Amino acid sequence: MALTPLDIQNKNFSTKMRGYNQDEVDDFLDMIVRDYEDSIAKNRELEKALKHSEEKLEYFNELKEALNQSIVVAQDTADKVKSSASKESEVIVSSAQNRADELISNAVQKANLLTTTAEDKAKEILTDATAKARQLAAETNDLKKKTRTFHQQLLLLLETQLDQARSGDWEEILKPMSAYVGNGHEVLREVLANELDNGAEIAVDSNEPIVDAEPQEDMGLTIDIPELIKSDED
């Protein structure tokens, strides 16, 4: 049977001559009782703590077991989800590939159709442009021929007019008035020479431009001769 503090406190010792001092023994026993009570109290606290720890350990063991089961279930679920997702992704990829092939096929057909249409339109435009270019070239050649003929006729006309301008008849017309008076009329010749011939020479020899009193209306007959010659040479 375990010794209790009360047993220590109630313990009685017999006395004899020259034994221990009873008061000192009692004081020491009291001190032992207090320490023993403290030890018992601490032991009880330790037992409670140990019991509490054991309960916690049991709880954690149960929790660990539940977690392990949950992990197994989660792993199994994850495997199933992964397998399902893999199959679903394969279906999606296959469907997307088929859709992409269909879109590419449609796009190629549309591109071929657009290319063919564009080529036909381009050929039509090129044919039309070629025909117009040929027509324009023919009209241009015809216009050049007409211009060349006109140029030749104009040159012939100008040469004719130039020959007429260089004719000796102009010298006869432009002779001084005194030249028409005979030698027997010196006085008349001198008067004509002073009055008429001097004025005529001034008018003929003057460098000032002759301006008509009234400007003549351009009837569309003005011709740029250098430009016309250049066009003919081209």
Side-chain angles (χ1 to χ4, degrees), residues 85-147:
S86 178
K87 293 180 180 179
E88 186 177 357
S89 64
E90 290 177 358
V91 173
I92 293 174
V93 170
S94 178
S95 176
Q97 185 64 41
N98 295 333
R99 180 59 178 169
D101 293 339
E102 181 181 357
L103 291 176
I104 291 173
S105 177
N106 292 335
V108 170
Q109 292 179 359
K110 290 182 179 179
N112 292 334
L113 179 60
L114 290 175
T115 301
T116 303
T117 304
E119 289 178 352
D120 295 340
K121 187 64 176 178
K123 290 179 181 179
E124 180 182 354
I125 294 173
L126 181 60
T127 302
D128 185 59
T130 302
K132 290 183 179 180
R134 289 176 178 174
Q135 181 181 358
L136 181 60
E139 293 176 355
T140 302
N141 290 331
D142 183 60
L143 181 60
K144 283 188 176 182
K145 290 179 181 179
K146 292 180 180 180
T147 304

Side-chain angles (χ1 to χ4, degrees), residues 141-211:
N141 290 331
D142 183 60
L143 181 60
K144 283 188 176 182
K145 290 179 181 179
K146 292 180 180 180
T147 304
R148 186 175 293 107
T149 301
F150 174 75
H151 178 236
Q152 292 174 354
Q153 294 175 354
L154 179 62
L155 288 177
L156 180 60
L157 177 62
L158 292 176
E159 288 176 356
T160 303
Q161 296 295 328
L162 185 59
D163 290 339
Q164 292 179 0
R166 291 174 178 175
S167 175
D169 295 339
W170 292 99
E171 296 181 359
E172 182 67 24
I173 295 173
L174 296 175
K175 287 195 306 183
M177 292 296 297
S178 58
Y180 295 99
V181 181
N183 294 330
H185 300 83
E186 294 294 336
V187 176
L188 180 58
R189 179 183 293 178
E190 184 178 354
V191 171
L192 292 174
N194 292 333
E195 297 297 333
L196 297 178
D197 294 341
N198 289 338
E201 290 177 358
I202 293 173
V204 173
D205 295 337
S206 176
N207 292 327
E208 296 181 359
I210 300 175
V211 181

Side-chain angles (χ1 to χ4, degrees), residues 33-88:
V33 168
R34 288 193 298 272
D35 291 341
Y36 192 68
E37 288 178 349
D38 291 339
S39 298
I40 291 175
K42 290 180 180 180
N43 190 26
R44 288 175 180 174
E45 291 294 332
L46 291 174
E47 288 178 354
K48 290 181 180 180
L50 179 60
K51 184 178 181 181
H52 184 65
S53 297
E54 289 176 349
E55 291 176 354
K56 280 187 175 182
L57 180 60
E58 184 179 0
Y59 170 76
F60 283 124
N61 287 332
E62 292 177 355
L63 182 61
K64 178 182 178 181
E65 184 67 22
L67 289 175
N68 289 332
Q69 293 179 359
S70 299
I71 290 173
V72 172
V73 174
Q75 184 64 39
D76 183 60
T77 303
D79 293 338
K80 292 180 180 179
V81 171
K82 182 178 179 181
S83 177
S84 176
S86 178
K87 293 180 180 179
E88 186 177 357

Side-chain angles (χ1 to χ4, degrees), residues 3-13 29-30 32-33 36:
L3 184 64
T4 63
L6 185 60
D7 293 336
I8 296 173
Q9 187 175 6
N10 293 330
K11 177 66 177 176
N12 292 320
F13 295 94
L29 289 175
D30 291 336
I32 291 173
V33 168
Y36 192 68

